[in-house]
Amino acid sequence: MFAERVLSGMRPTGRLHLGHYHGVLKNWVKLQNEYPCLFFVADWHALTTHYDTPEIIEQNVWDMLVDWLAAGVDPVQATLFIQSRIPEHAELHLLLSMITPLGWLERVPSYKDQQEKLSDKDLGTYGFLGYPLLQSADILIYRASRVPVGEDQVPHVEFTRELARRFNHMYGREKDFETKAKAAVKKLGTKNAKLYQQLRTRYQEQGDSEALSAARELLEERQNLTLGDRERLFGYLEGVGRVILTEPQALLTEASRMPGLDGHKMSKSYNNTIELREDEVSVTKKIRTMPTDPARIKRSDPGDPEKCPVWQFHLIYSDKQRQEWVQKGCKSAGIGCLECKQPVIDAVLHEQKPMHERAQMYLDDPTLVRNIIADGCEKAQKLAQETLRDVKQVMGLNYD
Ligand code: TRP
Ligand code: SF4
């Protein structure tokens, strides 16, 4: 509704690997240059599935933050914080739970899927059922308009949109909405009020979406409106009531399927990862011992890159010229597998070098990370409090 704001979170359940880097973090680093961004450690979400091993959470929180910083997430540009330090998320979660139909939660696909997949854990808990609702509170409390996530998280963002709509529908209707909205239009000044009315008519009568964006832009530029008036003007524009909570959109991270060492998707549970800050000796050894096309038993046996996980790495790390070299050399047995792997080893080490360097600073002085988080939490909390104030007001909880 207001200026575009990006928010995303990650659960601190283990060391990050190159799959996280190519799939998520690289995208965050790009987004932080384009939008105001909030990135947070979803420690409460980690507890929904790891409530019986709380000891892993604390260390992972700080390790993960160092991983983010190592990957180039910049605390000057983006706001970094920890979910459980902002209790406003929990309060919003509670308030939203009042209007969340149980069926909506039970129908979220990850609910049954995860319960089946993690069948060694008892996930028949209230907290686990509420996972998507807690995620909605995370998003809505910052009025985030864009949420960069992987495909598996899209249903959660959809859920959040529906919940925001339900909330606005329920609490955005004031008795005297029309009157108040019209008064707010006047406050735009003669010229802008006229423009707003014209754009609104064009949108409502002809469905002209350009008119809608133009009107939204016009409102975004008016910094002197009160929050309530802003919400009314956004809602009046679209023919609904006040828009108190912003409907977010998933920003799909382009499916960069970072392969693992065995050719399957890189994932801790497949034990096929290279960690973001893994040391050089270990990286070299892991790639050297990667499986290749089983047809290449002897050096003189030709192979097929399509049947080899090393080729997947070349697709990510090599230019066209080197890819051709692999194709030809493999099919003609002109190159050996170790020879073929060397450029991949070099490329991975080259990618990790700046990450090690950045991380070192934070490992040498852990208070740096503590301070970044203290700062980020303070900023995030201010934003969260604004939204919560509005929500409490429309839900009848403003007694003072
Ligand atoms: N559920 C997300 C995941 O497992 C983490 C998360 C929690 C999140 N809250 C969020 C992501 C809010 C985006 C926005 O990856
Ligand atoms: Fe794989 Fe390269 Fe060996 Fe071919 S030459 S099997 S692509 S490692």
Side-chain angles (χ1 to χ4, degrees):
M1 166 169 64
F2 308 125
E4 296 269 16
R5 193 177 283 153
V6 167
L7 169 115
S8 199
M10 224 187 262
R11 301 181 317 138
T13 50
R15 291 299 288 268
L16 300 189
H17 52 64
L18 292 180
H20 295 111
Y21 177 67
H22 286 273
V24 185
L25 291 171
K26 235 167 55 178
N27 196 35
W28 286 12
V29 170
K30 183 164 96 41
L31 286 167
Q32 71 189 0
N33 296 310
E34 298 167 359
Y35 301 99
C37 287
L38 294 145
F39 299 126
F40 73 97
V41 180
D43 53 351
W44 279 333
H45 276 106
L47 275 178
T48 64
T49 49
H50 292 66
Y51 55 85
D52 53 351
T53 48
E55 64 282 357
I56 67 156
I57 297 195
E58 182 174 5
Q59 189 54 43
N60 281 328
V61 167
W62 300 107
D63 279 347
M64 190 166 83
L65 284 165
V66 174
D67 283 337
W68 290 3
L69 295 161
V73 174
D74 175 3
V76 177
Q77 297 192 79
T79 303
L80 308 183
F81 66 96
I82 298 172
Q83 183 185 37
S84 66
R85 293 258 183 102
I86 319 289
E88 284 79 2
H89 291 223
E91 191 171 347
L92 183 61
H93 174 236
L94 174 84
L95 292 174
L96 292 173
S97 78
M98 307 300 170
I99 66 155
T100 305
L102 217 39
W104 287 19
L105 287 166
E106 287 159 348
R107 275 196 300 274
V108 172
S110 57
Y111 180 57
K112 290 235 159 58
D113 287 1
Q114 291 292 95
Q115 272 185 338
E116 278 162 27
K117 217 170 123 196
L118 308 175
S119 56
D120 53 321
K121 289 190 179 145
D122 178 6
L123 294 181
T125 57
Y126 180 57
F128 187 68
L129 177 67
Y131 187 110
L133 184 59
L134 181 57
Q135 186 161 351
S136 297
D138 298 336
I139 298 169
L140 296 174
I141 202 143
Y142 300 106
R143 294 178 154 126
S145 49
R146 290 168 191 257
V147 183
V149 284
E151 215 158 331
D152 61 316
Q153 295 292 313
V154 171
H156 294 168
V157 180
E158 275 305 309
F159 175 92
T160 307
R161 289 173 66 81
E162 275 167 34
L163 194 65
R165 215 171 297 151
R166 185 176 170 86
F167 185 93
N168 291 331
H169 187 75
M170 226 177 240
Y171 299 109
R173 294 160 180 262
E174 307 166 290
K175 276 198 298 311
D176 43 359
F177 178 72
E178 282 277 324
T179 321
K180 283 188 173 157
K182 283 186 181 148
V185 176
K186 282 216 181 92
K187 290 182 208 160
L188 291 171
T190 325
K191 200 169 125 246
N192 282 319
K194 198 165 153 210
L195 184 56
Y196 173 89
Q197 288 290 15
Q198 283 169 350
L199 292 167
R200 175 175 181 267
T201 309
R202 257 171 63 198
Y203 173 66
Q204 293 199 359
E205 289 178 5
Q206 297 152 37
D208 182 342
S209 58
E210 271 175 34
L212 177 64
S213 330
R216 281 185 177 154
E217 235 169 78
L218 182 138
L219 293 179
E220 262 153 31
E221 284 161 13
R222 318 301 312 164
Q223 294 298 338
N224 54 347
L225 292 167
T226 65
L227 212 56
D229 277 346
R230 264 176 115 76
E231 292 164 0
R232 289 183 190 101
L233 288 170
F234 273 99
Y236 189 56
L237 182 62
E238 293 183 53
V240 295
R242 280 172 67 180
V243 178
I244 300 150
L245 297 177
T246 303
E247 285 180 37
Q249 291 242 329
L251 259 188
L252 249 191
T253 310
E254 160 196 344
S256 119
R257 276 197 165 257
M258 175 80 194
L261 292 162
D262 57 359
H264 297 293
K265 184 173 182 260
M266 188 176 281
S267 160
K268 200 175 46 158
S269 48
Y270 300 149
N271 200 15
N272 64 358
T273 63
I274 298 176
E275 283 176 6
L276 202 85
R277 292 183 276 132
E278 190 152 338
D279 70 82
E280 192 173 327
V281 175
S282 165
V283 170
T284 306
K285 183 160 163 236
K286 277 187 177 174
I287 299 177
R288 283 185 161 224
T289 53
M290 262 176 90
T292 58
D293 178 358
R296 297 207 69 183
I297 301 165
K298 294 196 299 304
R299 167 71 174 74
S300 55
D301 294 329
D304 178 1
E306 297 303 327
K307 296 181 183 145
C308 175
V310 180
W311 171 243
Q312 301 298 317
F313 276 69
H314 277 293
L315 285 175
I316 293 186
Y317 289 105
S318 298
D319 58 14
K320 284 270 161 300
Q321 201 186 350
R322 184 169 312 117
Q323 288 175 3
E324 247 163 60
W325 171 79
V326 174
Q327 285 286 342
K328 274 203 192 121
C330 182
K331 289 177 180 162
S332 64
I335 58 172
C337 289
L338 277 181
E339 203 179 340
C340 179
K341 287 171 170 178
Q342 192 55 47
V344 171
I345 296 173
D346 295 341
V348 171
L349 294 179
H350 179 74
E351 176 171 77
Q352 287 175 318
K353 190 160 176 275
M355 302 200 211
H356 281 297
E357 285 165 7
R358 276 190 292 258
Q360 198 54 50
M361 185 167 76
Y362 299 108
L363 297 175
D364 291 342
D365 183 2
T367 62
L368 288 176
V369 186
R370 300 294 198 274
N371 290 339
I372 288 168
I373 289 303
D375 247 30
C377 286
E378 199 180 317
K379 280 193 203 135
Q381 189 161 38
K382 283 217 180 83
L383 298 171
Q385 281 170 343
E386 271 178 28
T387 310
L388 194 58
R389 197 179 317 132
D390 270 21
V391 167
K392 284 167 73 172
Q393 195 206 1
V394 298
M395 289 185 84
L397 299 172
N398 58 329
Y399 301 118
D400 22 66

